[in-house]
């Protein structure tokens, strides 16, 4: 598959997807979204990896939605942009494999929203993150108004969205927006190391953890608890090879093979 704005490579079982539009700080326009949707729809590629790492080429992760392109939007093109953007963000959030955002630089607006749709965020100590939409008379429109408060609480989310100022990676780490910091230039390396550890775990358990957390956030804690018990019970069906292998490997004092 040929892409103009994406690069993809595989290192062992880890996929590295790089947004490659550095001249515009990897800003998201419709073409970038179309390529992302196409990549994420490619089941064969996704099934061949255990973890996906998303990063940006150059000095930015993603500096937001493309502000220049927005100038020319009609009602229809704005609607199309919104539809494809939301599709892509949901594709990332619902991907069967864990997704790590390796935030190498600016992660602003739609760029931070994309990082929020990933499961874990690693950031360069020099990165700046923020939701500057309010400065443009906009609001975060790719579910950021929902994902951010679920991650950091309503007060912190309001603070970031209402002020529209960027914060340092260190501040983002303290708030819980980012789960790990890395010295500049090593963010990909640190992310890959983390991805490698995760890739050694049971793929089925990883998929279920992701499903339970994401679906559970939409349910009452009572219903979420029921859902978890049901899935936990299903792990003890006879065809659950990974659970069988994990437990057997522990008892045989060896590494599981899945
Ligand atoms: N869009 C388009 N181009 C951008 C861009 C962006 N978001 N950010 C940077 N660029 C371009 C710059 O215009 C410049 O292009 P040239 O002038 O060279 O042609 C090039 O990238 C390099 O940027 P700078 O020269 O500005 O680089 P600096 O290091 O000086 O500054 C910066 C870096 C990140 C502080 C600055 O570029 C900046 O403030 N960028 C804008 C950040 C921003 O406000 N981002 C939020 C965008 S609003 C929607 C859903 C969601 C959204 C919209 C709609 N719907 C559901 C419909 C989301 C909205 C947003 O994300």
């Amino acid at each position: 598959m040929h892409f103009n704005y994406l690069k993809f490579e595989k290192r062992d079982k880890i996929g590295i997807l790089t947004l490659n539009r550095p001249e515009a700080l990897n800003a998201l326009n419709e073409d970038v979204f179309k390529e992302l949707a196409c990549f994420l729809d490619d089941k064969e590629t996704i099934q061949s990896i255990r973890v996906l790492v998303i990063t940006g080429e150059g000095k930015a992760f993603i500096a937001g939605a493309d502000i220049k392109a927005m100038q020319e939007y009609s009602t229809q093109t704005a609607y199309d942009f919104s539809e494809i953007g939301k599709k892509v963000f949901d594709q990332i959030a619902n991907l069967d494999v864990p997704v790590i955002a390796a935030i190498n630089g600016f992660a602003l607006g739609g760029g931070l929203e994309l990082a929020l749709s990933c499961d874990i965020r690693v950031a360069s100590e020099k990165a700046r993150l923020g939701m500057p939409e309010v400065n443009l008379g906009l609001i975060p429109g790719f579910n950021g108004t929902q994902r951010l408060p679920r991650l950091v609480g309503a007060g912190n989310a309001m603070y970031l969205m209402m002020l529209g100022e960027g914060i340092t990676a260190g501040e983002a780490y303290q708030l819980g927006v980012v789960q790990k910091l890395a010295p500049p230039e090593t963010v990909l390396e640190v992310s890959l190391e983390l991805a490698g550890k995760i890739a050694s775990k049971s793929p089925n358990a990883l998929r279920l953890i992701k499903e339970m957390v994401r679906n559970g956030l939409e349910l009452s804690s009572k219903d979420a608890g029921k859902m978890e018990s049901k899935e936990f019970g299903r792990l003890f069906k006879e065809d659950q090879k990974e659970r069988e292998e994990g437990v057997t490997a522990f008892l045989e004092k060896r590494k599981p093979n899945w």
Side-chain angles (χ1 to χ4, degrees):
M1 218 177 292
H2 173 76
F3 293 118
N4 290 317
Y5 301 117
L6 299 180
K7 287 193 294 185
F8 179 69
E9 68 169 294
K10 248 188 332 187
R11 293 199 203 161
D12 293 326
K13 294 254 167 164
I14 299 164
I16 308 171
L17 180 66
T18 307
L19 274 279
N20 187 26
R21 204 188 163 213
E23 66 284 1
L25 304 189
N26 302 320
L28 300 165
N29 62 16
E30 209 182 327
D31 290 339
V32 175
F33 274 139
K34 279 185 183 158
E35 291 195 2
L36 278 168
C38 183
F39 172 82
L40 295 161
D41 268 337
D42 178 0
K43 290 203 167 50
E44 205 181 311
T45 301
I46 301 300
Q47 278 167 4
S48 73
I49 58 174
R50 293 269 175 105
V51 179
L52 179 65
V53 174
I54 303 182
T55 193
E57 184 69 35
K59 69 176 178 182
F61 175 67
I62 301 169
D66 191 316
I67 303 173
K68 287 179 195 162
M70 262 184 234
Q71 272 185 313
E72 281 140 38
Y73 278 170
S74 63
T75 311
Q76 185 61 47
T77 47
Y79 177 83
D80 294 344
F81 180 70
S82 171
E83 286 292 292
I84 180 109
K86 287 195 167 164
K87 175 184 168 177
V88 165
F89 283 60
D90 286 345
Q91 279 175 301
I92 294 173
N94 297 324
L95 214 62
D96 275 347
V97 296
V99 186
I100 299 175
I103 303 175
N104 51 303
F106 295 110
L108 302 172
L112 179 55
E113 290 185 280
L114 189 141
L116 292 176
S117 70
C118 299
D119 302 312
I120 295 172
R121 285 147 293 282
V122 177
S124 152
E125 285 159 357
K126 283 208 174 149
R128 277 194 84 77
L129 298 87
M131 293 288 200
E133 287 87 345
V134 71
N135 302 319
L136 301 165
L138 295 169
I139 60 170
F142 297 125
N143 263 345
T145 60
Q146 303 310 303
R147 287 202 172 103
L148 191 58
R150 281 171 168 76
L151 190 64
V152 299
N156 288 322
M158 297 264 198
Y159 181 89
L160 281 170
M161 290 189 281
M162 288 182 169
L163 277 174
E165 286 174 0
I167 55 171
T168 63
E171 288 168 321
Y173 177 73
Q174 276 175 350
L175 284 178
V177 176
V178 158
Q179 282 62 58
K180 201 171 174 62
L181 292 174
E185 315 302 329
T186 68
V187 64
L188 185 59
E189 199 181 309
V190 170
S191 303
L192 289 174
E193 198 181 314
L194 185 64
K197 284 184 189 168
I198 294 174
S200 73
K201 311 294 179 191
S202 154
N204 186 46
L206 290 170
R207 185 184 55 74
L208 278 174
I209 288 168
K210 186 163 168 165
E211 204 177 299
M212 293 303 100
V213 173
R214 294 219 178 266
N215 293 349
L217 284 170
E218 308 303 323
L219 299 172
S220 70
S221 62
K222 194 172 160 198
D223 288 343
K226 275 189 202 156
M227 173 182 70
E228 186 193 69
S229 299
K230 199 169 144 207
E231 290 302 329
F232 192 84
R234 277 160 55 99
L235 284 171
F236 287 81
K237 276 183 156 183
E238 275 175 19
D239 62 350
Q240 291 293 323
K241 298 287 176 221
E242 288 184 24
R243 188 263 311 146
E244 196 181 317
E245 168 63 5
V247 172
T248 308
F250 175 80
L251 295 174
E252 292 176 356
K253 300 189 187 303
R254 61 171 175 81
K255 281 194 175 165
N257 185 16
W258 31 55

